[in-house]
Amino acid sequence: ILRDGRWLTRLSNLRICDVPVQGDILFTSFKPGLSFGDSIRCIMKLRGFSAPGNPGMFDSRTWYHRKGIFGRGYPVTPVEVVGRRSPTLQSFIITLRKGLLQRIRSRFGDDAGLIAAVLVGRKDGLGEMRESFSAAGLSHLLAISGLHVGVLYLIMVSLAALLPWRWLRKIVVLM
């Protein structure tokens, strides 16, 4: 899942005018209960990405094609889950991340967007704050994701384990 309701989906067993088609698309569905690894069935409207309208505009078609994504899909019939893949490490991490995001949103209110951006790497909740960071020349700070914070924490804990006094270890880790 990329964002709430937006999925990067691998198409298989798809036929357009009796011609088999394969590839990745951005699939938008707000069906509750969809999880990473679900196999779904529905009739969807597929669209390609349009070329930029003016010279110098962002070329989303080329950008998505470089990532191997060739279109967008919108369901026109109800989405039916026809199979679920057994849990994997990736699905566990996605579920853990979603749970952490829900906790952040419920506990931090207006500040949840910034906290989610720094701890988990989700920048879609920043809104105007993202523009403020950019205008102030601080947008590079938003590049610090949960992975970077986690690696930094791991290094601090590892170094603190080498300290001789237990109370000093706790102070270093809390910093």
Side-chain angles (χ1 to χ4, degrees), residues 29-171:
S29 173
F30 296 100
K31 177 182 174 59
L34 282 181
S35 300
F36 176 82
D38 286 353
S39 293
I40 60 169
R41 181 181 6 222
C42 69
I43 295 174
M44 68 175 100
K45 184 176 191 175
L46 295 176
R47 289 187 180 172
F49 296 104
S50 54
N54 294 315
M57 280 182 62
F58 177 70
D59 188 355
S60 62
R61 181 172 54 183
T62 302
W63 189 79
Y64 279 116
H65 282 204
R66 286 183 183 152
K67 293 179 167 283
I69 302 169
F70 298 100
R72 286 183 271 220
Y74 305 93
V76 294
T77 62
V79 176
E80 175 188 355
V81 177
V82 293
R84 295 192 185 264
R85 191 179 343 165
S86 57
T88 62
L89 178 61
Q90 190 173 11
S91 65
F92 173 74
I93 291 170
I94 289 171
T95 304
L96 186 67
R97 187 177 185 204
K98 282 176 77 174
L100 183 59
L101 281 169
Q102 288 174 346
R103 283 188 180 156
I104 289 171
R105 287 180 183 139
S106 67
R107 290 187 181 176
F108 294 102
D110 293 341
D111 298 327
L114 179 61
I115 293 169
V118 173
L119 292 180
V120 188
R122 285 287 294 266
K123 297 171 187 72
D124 56 336
L126 287 173
E128 293 177 13
M129 194 180 309
R130 189 175 198 162
E131 295 170 14
S132 299
F133 269 78
S134 184
L138 299 173
S139 59
H140 62 282
L141 295 177
L142 296 178
I144 300 172
S145 69
L147 174 65
H148 297 100
V149 173
V151 169
L152 183 63
Y153 179 76
L154 182 64
I155 291 170
M156 287 179 57
V157 169
S158 299
L159 290 175
L162 300 174
L163 295 174
W165 301 294
R166 190 175 193 183
W167 62 269
L168 187 57
R169 282 185 228 157
K170 289 181 182 179
I171 291 173

Side-chain angles (χ1 to χ4, degrees), residues 8-16 19-25 27 37-44 46 80 82-83 85:
L8 179 61
T9 307
R10 172 122 346 198
L11 297 178
S12 60
N13 301 326
L14 177 72
R15 300 181 79 75
I16 299 177
V19 176
V21 178
Q22 280 191 304
D24 291 346
I25 63 162
F27 175 69
D38 286 353
S39 293
I40 60 169
R41 181 181 6 222
C42 69
I43 295 174
M44 68 175 100
L46 295 176
E80 175 188 355
V82 293
R85 191 179 343 165

